[in-house]
Amino acid sequence: MKTSVLFLGLAAAVGIFALAPVHAQAEAAICYNCPPEWANWGQMLKNIKSDLNINIPGDNKNSGQAIAQIIAEKASPVADIAYLGVNAGISAAAQDLVEAWKPERFNEIPAGLKDSNSRWWAVHQGTIGLFVNVDALGNTPVPACWADLKKSEYKGLVGYLDPTSAAVGYASAVAINTALGGSFDDFTPAVKYLKDLAGNGAIVTKQTSYARTVSGEIPILMDYDFNAYRAKYTEPGKFVFVLPCEGSVTFPYVMTLVKNAPHTDTAKKVLDYLLSDKGQLFWTTAYLRPVLPVEMPKDIADKFLPASEYQRAKDVDWGKAQAAQAAFSQRYLSEVR
């Protein structure tokens, strides 16, 4: 009798499971430097979960920290993919930290925005300028030029990310140097400028500082246009993006496949998705310029500064910029910090 009861119980349990709906377990992948508050990665990660059923946790490393972690874990990799500033992507390739692999639309990416050996490729671009919390400035006028930030009225009001570690920090240094007449062989204009800013109470941070600018803790941040536009159109308060009168530079962000990634097949699905029409169009809603020629919706394009303003933003050779970074960093650490 006991055997019969046990059998019936098991049969009933099997029946219950057979009738229950089957949900495929989500795959997982790890992305280093996919910060939820940066470039609206938070929503992109939700889209990846919804469309691909792949879980990717947010990660707040900057580009330099991501590379340092990948190096530390080289014998037993944890990350599958990494999102990096282009200079960091070039560095990662040179250090043999990433795999050569071509996503499905690799050939459609312009030549200057991908590694010829397919070790990194851009997904979108931003333009360096000033992300300004107008309310936090009070009666202080919104600056128009790089030179303005050295004035005493901006003492303690200006911030930037560490240019020896964060991609946006180094991109800001390149923008300043280029705008003030320097070259990759001569970073004196940027070093002198940042030294002057240090004397004017500049705030130097290690991590993404979007929230600190929105809160007013850092009223003026050297940052990308897409972060300023995001704040302008989604946050309470008044925010503007200033493309400095002396000029600036554009900067691509790239994706890489980590060498010996633990979830390679899953990672490749994600990398292809980011270059799909849907993925590229999403970046425009985050006020980024996609790398592939998808048309930016007019309602989004109209929220940018006029095209005439963007003529002051130059494209530079980021391969040469990356080669010059170590020398710049040494000067920054010895002369500015």
Side-chain angles (χ1 to χ4, degrees):
M1 178 65 70
K2 288 183 180 179
T3 303
S4 300
V5 170
L6 178 61
F7 175 80
L8 290 172
L10 288 172
V14 171
I16 290 170
F17 284 112
L19 292 172
V22 176
H23 297 287
Q25 184 175 356
E27 296 178 89
I30 298 296
C31 177
Y32 279 176
N33 188 29
C34 285
E37 289 190 348
W38 178 269
N40 206 8
W41 266 104
Q43 184 58 50
M44 175 57 89
L45 297 181
K46 292 177 183 177
N47 292 354
I48 290 169
K49 174 62 189 303
S50 174
D51 292 344
L52 302 182
N53 199 28
I54 295 173
N55 283 318
I56 302 177
D59 181 78
N60 283 315
K61 295 178 185 65
N62 64 36
S63 293
Q65 291 166 337
I67 288 180
Q69 193 72 21
I70 293 169
I71 291 172
E73 297 165 349
K74 194 170 183 180
S76 183
V78 174
D80 299 295
I81 58 179
Y83 168 74
L84 304 167
V86 63
N87 56 314
I90 294 168
S91 176
Q95 296 179 73
D96 196 30
L97 302 177
V98 295
E99 294 279 6
W101 177 75
K102 291 184 178 180
E104 291 177 356
R105 302 184 71 178
F106 182 83
N107 291 338
E108 298 177 48
I109 299 171
L113 297 174
K114 62 186 175 184
D115 174 48
S116 59
N117 293 316
S118 67
R119 295 169 297 181
W120 56 262
W121 53 91
V123 286
H124 55 229
Q125 300 182 77
T127 298
I128 289 287
L130 305 177
F131 171 12
V132 182
N133 183 328
V134 179
D135 295 332
L137 285 180
N139 294 325
T140 304
V142 173
C145 306
W146 292 115
D148 290 339
L149 304 186
K150 298 192 294 182
K151 297 176 181 177
S152 59
E153 61 192 310
Y154 296 101
K155 186 176 181 67
L157 300 180
V158 180
Y160 62 89
L161 271 71
D162 184 348
T164 68
S165 175
V168 63
Y170 182 55
S172 297
V174 170
I176 293 163
N177 200 57
T178 303
L180 300 185
S183 69
F184 293 129
D185 295 320
D186 180 18
F187 264 95
T188 298
V191 171
K192 184 179 183 304
Y193 179 88
L194 294 173
K195 186 175 181 179
D196 290 343
L197 276 195
N200 206 29
I203 304 164
V204 183
T205 74
K206 292 285 188 182
Q207 306 289 358
T208 299
S209 295
Y210 176 88
R212 295 177 69 182
T213 305
V214 169
S215 72
E217 182 184 349
I218 303 176
I220 303 169
L221 181 69
M222 295 181 194
D223 204 351
Y224 296 110
D225 52 353
F226 55 83
N227 280 329
Y229 294 139
R230 175 188 169 195
K232 180 177 181 178
Y233 297 113
T234 67
E235 303 284 0
K238 186 175 182 181
F239 303 91
V240 297
F241 174 68
V242 175
L243 207 162
C245 69
E246 302 95 335
S248 188
V249 299
T250 60
F251 187 81
Y253 270 81
V254 307
M255 297 305 302
T256 60
L257 176 64
V258 175
K259 191 165 188 177
N260 299 319
H263 308 101
T264 301
D265 291 342
T266 303
K268 289 178 178 179
K269 294 177 187 176
V270 173
L271 294 172
D272 277 331
Y273 179 83
L274 298 177
L275 287 174
S276 68
D277 280 350
K278 185 171 184 178
Q280 289 286 286
L281 281 169
F282 168 80
W283 296 126
T284 71
T285 69
Y287 308 106
L288 290 139
R289 297 182 184 277
V291 69
L292 296 178
V294 296
E295 186 175 355
M296 186 178 293
K298 186 177 184 302
D299 61 328
I300 298 296
D302 288 347
K303 293 180 178 180
F304 282 68
L305 289 176
S308 58
E309 292 275 308
Y310 277 95
Q311 289 179 1
R312 297 197 300 278
K314 306 301 182 184
D315 296 324
V316 298
D317 186 332
W318 285 103
K320 290 181 179 179
Q322 194 278 328
Q325 187 170 8
F328 162 79
S329 295
Q330 186 174 22
R331 286 196 65 185
Y332 177 86
L333 292 172
S334 64
E335 299 178 43
V336 179
R337 182 178 290 180

